[in-house]
Amino acid sequence: MKQPLSHIRTTRRWAVLAVAGALALGVVASQAVAANAGADAVATDQPAPSLAAAPDLSLTGQPAVGEILSLVAEHPATQTWTFQWLRDGQVISGQTDSWYYPHTADVGHQLALRVTITEPDVETAQVTTPAVLVLPGAMSITLNTQTPLGTPKVGQAIELDASPATCSRKVAPGDSGTVGLAVQWLRDGQPIAGATYRNYYLQTADVNHSLAARLTCSQTGYEDASATTNAVIGQLGDTGGSGLEITSLTFPTPVYVGYAYQAGYQYTQPSADSQPTAAWQWLRDGQPIAGATSRTYTTTVADQGHQLAVRLELSLAGYTTASRTSAAATVVASVSDPEIVGLAQVGQALGAKLTYPQDGVVACQWLRDSQAISGANQCSYVVQPADVGRELSFQANVTLAGVEVGSATSAPVTVSQATFDTVQATIQSSLKVGDQTKAGAQIVYHSYGVEPTRAWQWLRDGQPIAGATSDTYTVLAADRGHKLSARLTVSLAGYVTAVATSGEATVESRPVVIEKLTIAGAVQAGQTISADFQYAPQGATFVYQWLRDGQAIAGATNPYYQVQDSDKGHYLSVKVTGSATDWDQGTLTSSTALVPGGSFDFDAVVQSLLAMLKNWIAQLMGLFA
């Protein structure tokens, strides 16, 4: 009898009848027996299956401080993925997103992402990406002073701006640390010992030599960045007067809290054989500052808003002591307006650069339309959907020793919608009626912790198929000869909606499936035998032809056949041809069965075996077609 198949299978097996003298077919017969034995094995209970294939995952992005590492991967809708970042194989507390910003504490360590995959009725699996070594972050420096200011003469000072350079780097959210700016004056490209202040007073050794300043930005966890100003040529100093006289006494202005200032002076003396002794005293509002008795003085929060000056006394044996007090300057806060850096779009990280004292502590607050954003108190900020069309700014407050020394707010930037980097849809290139197919998608974007929404629509010849709005689709008979494609619409708050359509696949029909065709009943003269097989699809119709030694038996076109006396000593088989709407015809011929009785006809046996072999070859060719 015929039994419908629950699904289509392509495995086939054939029974082989060994006959005397057919030695060449012995191996074929033994293989068929083994195949039948394997087919009769009874399945036993099995544990829950594991994943069909563990995904091959890897991290994208630069493994450096301030950059972003992330995992971009698609997974079936039936799976749930959770994440845990690892440092040298150990869990990083709280880092359970698919992205991570390397911190200064990560430098020199290995980072990896462990993905836990769960799926109903399947064992939970864990996959860990290959580890990456975290490198120091990139630091950049921009000179604000291209050429030292002042007159390059002996006894006079050349100096840099109050803010001689701007240091920039990317800062990971929640990271800490401040940037230091160091100055080193150079003579003919070589460091001058002790010349590490913003100003430098020329010595006689500087005459006719090139002088420049090298500025270096540094912070733990970042590569140092250095730049050198243009050089000036040292000249002879001015002379004048007949006694010990201080002709000028100055220090760089304007004066900011938290910076070191070195006084410069010129003097005359009657003889160059000896040098006078200098005594220094820095003054606040005309009064001596306790302990401030060297040529260099670093301003403090106590100086802010007050008048700063310096007094110098020169003494030389045999001469009257010379004294002079410099002009006073008001000490002011030392924070420059911060500047927002980065792209003001959803999912992008913004940062700020500003100038402040080396030992200062910066408190940050991001503002939306001049109002504080709750929780946005780091020196970097990831733009959110609520920011679209709004103005973002950044406020910086700097303290020294717990006392605020300056506050400034950046110019605002307006946030615009972001666009997806990549949106692609794909389907199988070859489809047949009855196939169950699944569309694939590739989406690349700057994530802020929310997955985009995907909407699918299957198309027939470019037109929507009613109800076909899932990423999976069963190919219908109505699709035969038409072109199928899938259209993907991706949307996410703060992003411009993106639409992508896959390539097209022309739908083909498939042949009716006939398998496990055997002759049922006793193959003996006078007995009725029938064709027994399984098939697909349901509703298929069949045509039968019974064969004697591979040749059609006239009139034997029913599913059953009564064995005749004339069949004795011959081989019987049956050929079944199936047809169904929107399916191609399928044909299969059974194995032969010998009808006992009659005289042995060697030629007939050979002809029957050749017909059977020809049938096998035709079936094998159809299998690999």
Side-chain angles (χ1 to χ4, degrees):
M1 61 180 178
K2 52 188 178 182
Q3 303 172 355
L5 289 173
S6 60
H7 63 279
I8 299 172
R9 295 178 295 174
T10 58
T11 57
R12 301 175 181 173
R13 52 184 179 159
W14 303 273
V16 180
L17 178 65
V19 296
L23 298 180
L25 301 177
V27 174
V28 176
S30 63
Q31 290 176 341
V33 171
N36 286 332
D40 294 334
V42 178
T44 60
D45 292 336
Q46 298 294 327
S50 59
L51 292 176
D56 185 11
L57 304 180
S58 61
L59 298 176
T60 61
Q62 295 295 323
V65 172
E67 301 292 342
I68 184 170
L69 293 174
S70 61
L71 175 69
V72 179
E74 297 296 323
H75 60 80
T78 57
Q79 294 181 357
T80 300
W81 287 21
T82 57
F83 309 93
Q84 177 61 62
W85 286 90
L86 310 174
R87 181 191 296 118
D88 296 335
Q90 301 300 311
V91 169
I92 303 176
S93 178
Q95 300 301 323
T96 57
D97 295 312
S98 61
W99 72 93
Y100 177 71
Y101 293 87
H103 289 56
T104 54
D106 298 319
V107 174
H109 296 277
Q110 299 279 342
L111 290 181
L113 178 61
R114 184 174 64 206
V115 181
T116 300
I117 304 173
T118 57
E119 186 174 2
D121 302 324
V122 178
E123 289 184 343
T124 297
Q126 287 190 337
V127 180
T128 301
T129 66
V132 295
L133 178 66
V134 178
L135 303 175
M139 179 79 71
S140 65
I141 182 171
T142 302
L143 290 179
N144 299 329
T145 301
Q146 298 297 326
T147 303
L149 307 175
T151 304
K153 292 184 177 182
V154 174
Q156 297 189 42
I158 54 176
E159 60 185 17
L160 305 175
D161 287 335
S163 177
T166 300
C167 304
S168 303
R169 82 279 192 222
K170 294 181 180 178
V171 181
D175 213 350
S176 60
T178 57
V179 178
L181 180 63
V183 177
Q184 175 63 65
W185 289 92
L186 309 174
R187 180 189 297 123
D188 295 335
Q190 300 302 312
I192 302 173
T196 56
Y197 300 100
R198 190 164 62 86
N199 57 349
Y200 172 69
Y201 286 86
L202 274 70
Q203 311 297 317
T204 55
D206 299 321
V207 175
N208 295 325
H209 293 276
S210 65
L211 300 172
R214 182 175 63 212
L215 294 92
T216 301
C217 298
S218 61
Q219 181 183 344
T220 301
Y222 291 83
E223 299 285 355
D224 288 351
S226 297
T228 302
T229 66
N230 298 326
V232 296
I233 303 300
Q235 306 172 25
L236 290 171
D238 297 328
T239 59
S242 59
L244 183 59
E245 179 185 2
I246 303 173
T247 57
S248 69
L249 177 61
T250 61
F251 57 87
T253 58
V255 182
Y256 297 94
V257 173
Y259 286 90
Y261 294 88
Q262 185 182 64
Y265 65 100
Q266 288 182 314
Y267 68 96
T268 61
Q269 65 182 65
S271 173
D273 295 336
S274 60
Q275 298 295 319
T277 300
W280 297 91
Q281 178 62 63
W282 290 86
L283 310 171
R284 181 189 299 127
D285 295 334
Q287 301 300 312
I289 301 173
T293 56
S294 67
R295 184 176 176 179
T296 301
Y297 175 68
T298 301
T299 54
T300 68
V301 292
D303 299 316
Q304 185 173 338
H306 296 277
Q307 295 288 307
L308 182 70
V310 64
R311 185 173 63 226
L312 169 63
E313 292 182 351
L314 292 180
S315 58
L316 185 62
Y319 293 89
T320 301
T321 298
S323 179
R324 186 171 181 138
T325 300
S326 72
T330 301
V331 180
V332 297
S334 54
V335 180
S336 68
D337 290 344
E339 178 185 348
I340 293 177
V341 294
L343 184 61
Q345 289 186 350
V346 173
Q348 298 281 353
L350 299 180
K353 63 179 182 179
L354 66 157
T355 300
Y356 57 92
Q358 182 173 344
D359 296 327
V361 177
V362 180
C364 305
Q365 177 62 59
W366 289 87
L367 311 173
R368 181 189 297 124
D369 292 338
S370 301
Q371 300 299 314
I373 302 173
S374 177
N377 52 10
Q378 302 295 326
C379 290
S380 62
Y381 175 70
V382 177
V383 183
Q384 302 297 311
D387 300 321
V388 174
R390 314 282 286 277
E391 289 188 339
L392 290 180
S393 56
F394 176 92
Q395 186 179 58
N397 296 290
V398 180
T399 58
L400 277 173
V403 178
E404 183 174 314
V405 296
S407 176
T409 302
S410 72
V413 295
T414 301
V415 176
S416 61
Q417 281 187 303
T419 56
F420 293 95
D421 295 330
T422 302
V423 174
Q424 292 182 346
T426 58
I427 63 171
Q428 292 175 232
S429 60
S430 176
L431 293 173
K432 295 182 178 180
V433 174
D435 282 347
Q436 288 186 338
T437 186
K438 182 179 178 69
Q442 181 185 19
I443 305 172
V444 180
Y445 65 105
H446 290 274
S447 173
Y448 55 87
V450 179
E451 288 290 325
T453 300
R454 308 177 188 190
W456 291 95
Q457 176 63 63
W458 287 86
L459 310 174
R460 181 189 298 123
D461 296 333
Q463 298 302 313
I465 301 173
T469 56
S470 169
D471 60 346
T472 59
Y473 179 69
T474 300
V475 182
L476 305 174
D479 299 320
R480 183 182 185 185
H482 295 278
K483 293 181 178 180
L484 287 183
S485 59
R487 184 173 63 212
L488 170 63
T489 301
V490 182
S491 57
L492 180 64
Y495 275 74
V496 177
T497 299
V499 179
T501 302
S502 71
E504 294 181 321
T506 300
V507 177
E508 303 174 357
S509 60
R510 64 171 66 245
V512 172
V513 177
I514 303 171
E515 60 181 34
K516 295 185 178 180
L517 174 59
T518 59
I519 296 175
V523 185
Q524 296 179 353
Q527 298 294 320
T528 299
I529 56 180
S530 62
D532 186 21
F533 58 93
Q534 295 180 352
Y535 68 94
Q538 294 186 6
T541 60
F542 300 92
V543 174
Y544 304 87
Q545 178 62 63
W546 290 89
L547 309 173
R548 179 189 301 117
D549 297 331
Q551 302 300 314
I553 301 174
T557 57
N558 292 316
Y560 51 87
Y561 175 71
Q562 185 174 23
V563 182
Q564 306 297 314
D565 287 339
S566 59
D567 296 322
K568 291 181 179 180
H570 295 277
Y571 287 88
L572 294 180
S573 59
V574 61
K575 181 172 72 174
V576 179
T577 300
S579 301
T581 303
D582 295 317
W583 291 61
D584 291 337
Q585 277 193 347
T587 300
L588 184 65
T589 301
S590 72
S591 300
T592 58
L594 178 65
V595 180
S599 60
F600 180 76
D601 187 342
F602 181 78
D603 289 340
V605 170
V606 171
Q607 292 300 319
S608 177
L609 289 176
L610 288 175
M612 181 174 63
L613 182 59
K614 181 179 179 182
N615 181 47
W616 285 346
I617 292 172
Q619 293 185 19
L620 286 173
M621 292 179 66
L623 180 63
F624 292 106

